[in-house]
Amino acid sequence: MDSLPTLLILLCAVRGALLYHPIWKPMWPVSKVPLVLPQLTEDLDAPEFTAEAKLEVTSPCGPECHKRASMPSYEELKELLSYETLYFNGSLTQTNVGIYGLNMAELARTQGTKGRSRAKRQIYGYDSRFSIFGKDFLLNYPFSTSVKVSTGCTGTLVADRHVLTAAHCIHDGKSYVKGAKKLKVGFLKPKQKEESSNQTRSHLPEKMKFQWIRVKRTHVPKGWIKGNANDIGMDYDYALLELKKPHKRRYMKIGVSPMAKQLPAGRIHFSGYDNDRRGNLVYRFCEVREETYNLLYQQCDAQPGASGSGVYVRMWKREHRRWERRIIGIFSGHQWVERDGMPQDFNVAVRITPLKYAQICYWIKGNYADCRDG
């Protein structure tokens, strides 16, 4: 059983009960984002859906490797942010994009920013995850925004019809996975109560089940399809799912990822359906240890199945004069690399950069006017 102090820390972190200094508040940065707009859409051959869904991403490219990578040119960025759209009837299109209002000099300066020094990860030790039970938590914000993707991953509600998840849950970099042909999203809901005169069972947590909604279409950036995790493609391990009907739940907005030093206590939070706790939603929070322009490296305990979870933080929105949780990244999974001749693993999340924010926001809203401020 978890100790009382640990439980209190969890409740404070989730419910936002931590008291900040009355003068200083961690502010959401004001980010003017560029425009990422579709230019040309063409039909592609129908995919074969031959790939096996892999719930862990592997890559030989660690933080130093990503920091040494040359910055993409303007034309390369347009290609990386072009995307494929898979429809529920199996048809497939490719859309080329244009990028407007991008300051390449500012982008180069930002990409050159060094992250923190990374501490060695404790692979074995105390498991800091928390299983969430009871409909009072599971069916309420923010836990209610976490959903199950039928290929085995987790997703997060980011609009009334849209779910953000990892690209590798849909596509392995070469082909769409078998389950992507009839993709569904699962929402936890209480099971029908069985009639029983046994009142002693009333103290037990109410059992939950998944209610599934079909996916209408899926967007995957070419940066993932082109590179996969063996190149720089891990930077683009994200996908957006559009449901056939509204889910009618409160969702979490996306936001441009601040620098790690700007995060409250340097921490991130996410909830997912880890495979070793089947049927349970698992919450965790931890400190960011290293960052590149596109990735966050952290020590949150996680297992396959949690990939695709929305990584979020809670900060003060000055314009609205209130605290807001926003998705700033997508949990990609464990990354194994060789470092100084020794194998090491990381837990990696893809950051929502200004360009990715512009793209995902346009996928959701269908217009650029509502996507200028991250």
Side-chain angles (χ1 to χ4, degrees), residues 20-28 315-316 321-323:
Y20 294 98
H21 191 280
I23 298 176
W24 182 84
K25 295 176 182 177
M27 300 278 189
W28 281 109
M315 299 174 70
W316 182 258
R321 299 187 61 82
R322 68 187 183 198
W323 295 98

Side-chain angles (χ1 to χ4, degrees), residues 8-282:
L8 290 175
I9 291 174
L10 168 64
L11 293 176
C12 288
V14 177
R15 292 296 189 184
L18 288 175
L19 296 178
Y20 294 98
H21 191 280
I23 298 176
W24 182 84
K25 295 176 182 177
M27 300 278 189
W28 281 109
V30 178
S31 303
K32 290 296 181 182
V33 300
L35 301 180
V36 179
L37 301 178
Q39 300 293 298
L40 175 66
T41 299
E42 56 185 353
D43 294 329
L44 300 178
D45 293 336
E48 297 181 356
F49 302 102
T50 57
E52 296 289 341
K54 295 181 180 179
L55 304 185
E56 283 191 298
V57 173
T58 58
S59 171
C61 188
E64 291 82 2
C65 167
H66 279 270
K67 289 177 181 178
R68 290 195 304 267
S70 59
M71 188 186 78
S73 67
Y74 175 74
E75 292 299 322
E76 288 171 332
L77 283 172
K78 289 199 299 181
E79 184 175 355
L80 292 167
L81 289 169
S82 294
Y83 56 92
E84 288 188 2
T85 302
L86 175 66
Y87 296 85
F88 72 96
N89 62 2
S91 61
L92 185 67
T93 62
Q94 175 177 305
T95 301
N96 298 327
V97 303
I99 301 175
Y100 306 94
L102 177 64
N103 187 328
M104 293 297 290
E106 175 66 16
L107 179 62
R109 185 192 68 78
T110 307
Q111 285 203 268
T113 302
K114 293 184 178 181
R116 303 182 181 189
S117 298
R118 191 189 63 84
K120 288 187 178 181
R121 182 175 184 268
Q122 181 67 37
I123 299 175
Y124 301 103
Y126 178 71
D127 190 342
S128 60
R129 297 174 296 163
F130 300 87
S131 289
I132 305 302
F133 297 106
K135 68 177 183 180
D136 289 341
F137 284 101
L138 290 169
L139 300 183
N140 284 296
Y141 189 86
F143 297 124
S144 59
T145 64
S146 295
V147 292
K148 181 80 170 177
V149 180
S150 58
T151 53
C153 291
T154 300
T156 307
L157 304 177
V158 291
D160 59 359
R161 287 177 179 264
H162 293 89
V163 175
L164 189 63
T165 189
H168 74 260
C169 302
I170 314 299
H171 195 290
D172 75 346
K174 298 178 181 178
S175 176
Y176 285 89
V177 303
K178 294 177 181 178
K181 189 172 185 178
K182 296 182 178 180
L183 196 62
K184 296 180 291 186
V185 170
F187 296 76
L188 276 179
K189 62 175 294 185
K191 287 185 176 180
Q192 292 291 337
K193 292 184 178 180
E194 298 179 1
E195 293 184 6
S196 173
S197 59
N198 186 356
Q199 300 299 320
T200 62
R201 297 174 57 88
S202 61
H203 69 281
L204 297 176
E206 189 169 1
K207 291 185 177 180
M208 310 291 283
K209 67 176 183 179
F210 285 107
Q211 181 182 36
W212 298 91
I213 299 179
R214 280 291 303 273
V215 172
K216 179 180 178 180
R217 60 180 176 177
T218 301
H219 300 301
V220 179
K222 295 290 288 183
W224 171 258
I225 295 172
K226 176 184 177 181
N228 201 347
N230 294 321
D231 191 2
I232 209 69
M234 194 174 190
D235 294 347
Y236 296 89
D237 188 11
Y238 60 94
L240 188 74
L241 318 180
E242 182 182 343
L243 303 176
K244 278 193 167 186
K245 62 180 182 180
H247 52 73
K248 298 180 181 179
R249 289 192 180 186
R250 184 179 176 186
Y251 55 84
M252 198 177 299
K253 295 180 180 179
I254 62 170
V256 173
S257 173
M259 299 294 290
K261 63 183 179 181
Q262 295 176 292
L263 303 177
R267 290 175 177 167
I268 56 173
H269 309 248
F270 63 95
S271 302
Y273 292 98
D274 301 53
N275 283 358
D276 64 336
R277 300 190 186 184
R278 290 192 178 277
N280 291 345
L281 182 64
V282 184

